Amino acid sequence: MGSKEKRDKRLQEISLLRTIPYSDHQRWWSSETVAVVTGANRGIGFEIVRQLAGHGLTVILTSRETSAGLEASKVLQESGLSVAFHQLDVLESSSIKEFAEWVKQNYGGIDILVNNAGVNYNLGSDNSVEHAKMVIDTNYYGTKNVTKAMIPLIRPSAAGSRIVNLSSRLGRLNGKRNRIEDEALRQQLSDTETISEEIIDKMVSTFLGQVEDGTWTSGGWPQTQTDYSISKLAVNAYTRVLAKVLSDRPEGQKIYVNCYCPGKVKTAMTAWAGNISAEGGADTGVWLALLPDQAITGKFFAERREINF
């Protein structure tokens, strides 16, 4: 079967999956299935927790602020959902380590990780190095560092365990908006055979260096929401790198990794300017986390449809 035929078949499978309600899926999870959702005290993260717990999973809600996280988890617990809380600051290595140790001690491991924690800052005339660094550190390095800490705790599963990364169309390499003009870099990030964590780290390091010396506007970077776009481009690229590594594992130990764009969701992060509800923004993330064993990995989705990186 040629590459075009394989792609057409995959798209047909995905299209079919979009029409299947969860109740008709091959239910591979149970109340013993443990999911972790980062940055989940409000907005999309809170909705992902609510929906996953509503499907009968045990969900660990994390939040940087303890009081906000406790209040959010209490609301869900009072609805009869199996939700626990633990503080987690994705910017702090000590917090990540403590969280991983707590998970291991209390649950033994997890089955699903949803990296939702993130920030949204625009890079413009009032840009500061501190803001740009925080966006990159939270959205990219935070996602990466939490993932690396959780992978050893992800339990073997016949259906395949899951990692879902919240991303954005603004991080698309081939999008019409916010295009990177450096063709050499575009080629490096497009080549699924040679793309690596080192290439991604070098890209964000180069960007931050140019922000610091004031040359980023002429560096070929996207000119709209630049820091956010670069951070999500890095998340998308890391998703592909990680998917390749984890799909090489033996059967029963595979971890499927995908990312998705929730759209412009009406939350505090978008200053309530979005046109999609938090419930709608969470939908594709939950769908990816609960898909039956279809070996879909290293892909980018929006509205339950695969889109191009």
Side-chain angles (χ1 to χ4, degrees):
M1 183 182 295
S3 58
K4 184 179 184 302
E5 288 79 7
K6 289 181 179 179
R7 176 175 174 78
D8 289 344
K9 181 180 179 182
R10 184 171 70 247
L11 290 175
Q12 288 174 1
E13 291 173 347
I14 293 171
S15 178
L16 176 61
L17 286 169
R18 290 189 76 248
T19 67
I20 302 175
Y22 290 113
S23 58
D24 291 337
H25 277 179
Q26 177 185 348
R27 188 185 175 97
W28 59 269
W29 67 90
S30 70
S31 61
E32 301 299 315
T33 303
V34 178
V36 168
V37 184
T38 66
N41 60 288
R42 63 182 183 180
I44 298 171
F46 180 84
E47 264 301 313
I48 291 174
V49 173
R50 188 185 69 80
Q51 292 182 31
L52 286 174
H55 284 294
L57 287 77
T58 296
V59 187
I60 303 171
L61 180 157
T62 81
S63 169
R64 183 181 61 181
E65 299 294 336
T66 298
S67 59
L70 284 170
E71 181 62 28
S73 60
K74 181 180 178 181
V75 169
L76 296 172
Q77 290 164 358
E78 290 176 347
S79 298
L81 300 176
S82 180
V83 176
F85 167 73
H86 196 279
Q87 190 273 342
L88 173 63
D89 186 343
V90 302
L91 291 173
E92 296 291 337
S93 59
S94 58
S95 179
I96 295 173
K97 181 179 179 181
E98 180 185 349
F99 175 65
E101 291 173 348
W102 177 84
V103 169
K104 183 176 182 180
Q105 180 177 354
N106 288 274
Y107 294 91
I110 68 171
D111 306 279
I112 298 169
L113 170 64
V114 181
N115 286 304
N116 169 76
V119 291
N120 182 14
Y121 282 89
N122 294 338
L123 182 61
S125 58
D126 60 346
N127 170 56
S128 71
V129 176
E130 291 76 17
H131 275 182
K133 188 173 187 303
M134 181 167 64
V135 173
I136 297 294
D137 283 350
T138 305
N139 293 352
Y140 171 53
Y141 286 113
T143 293
K144 184 169 73 166
N145 292 338
V146 169
T147 300
K148 288 188 173 184
M150 289 292 104
I151 284 176
L153 299 179
I154 296 179
R155 297 182 284 218
S157 168
S161 303
R162 319 296 165 89
I163 297 175
V164 179
N165 295 327
L166 197 79
S167 191
S168 170
R169 287 182 176 90
L170 290 175
R172 291 178 64 195
L173 185 62
N174 297 307
K176 293 181 179 179
R177 295 178 60 194
N178 289 17
R179 178 185 176 91
I180 286 181
E181 299 301 329
D182 185 330
E183 287 299 328
L185 177 58
R186 286 173 55 78
Q187 180 59 39
Q188 286 183 315
L189 295 173
S190 298
D191 193 331
T192 56
E193 296 300 318
T194 59
I195 188 174
S196 67
E197 188 177 331
E198 290 73 24
I199 289 173
I200 305 168
D201 287 351
K202 183 179 179 181
M203 175 189 72
V204 297
S205 177
T206 298
F207 168 67
L208 289 175
Q210 292 183 5
V211 171
E212 188 168 1
D213 63 26
T215 63
W216 70 271
T217 55
S218 59
W221 306 106
Q223 297 298 297
T224 304
Q225 295 185 307
T226 310
D227 49 2
Y228 183 78
S229 297
I230 296 301
S231 73
K232 292 304 187 179
L233 173 59
V235 169
N236 290 347
Y238 183 62
T239 297
R240 300 171 86 180
V241 170
L242 198 59
K244 182 179 178 181
V245 172
L246 297 178
S247 65
D248 286 340
R249 290 184 167 194
E251 291 298 326
Q253 298 180 32
K254 295 183 183 299
I255 302 174
Y256 300 143
V257 190
N258 295 287
C259 55
Y260 87 100
C261 174
K264 194 170 185 180
V265 180
K266 190 175 183 180
T267 65
M269 181 175 282
T270 61
W272 309 103
N275 56 6
I276 300 172
S277 67
E279 182 179 2
D283 177 74
T284 298
V286 174
W287 176 75
L288 285 169
L290 299 183
L291 278 176
D293 183 9
Q294 294 292 326
I296 297 174
T297 191
K299 307 300 180 184
F300 188 18
F301 290 84
E303 299 172 347
R304 299 196 190 184
R305 297 179 187 272
E306 183 182 343
I307 60 178
N308 293 329
F309 278 95

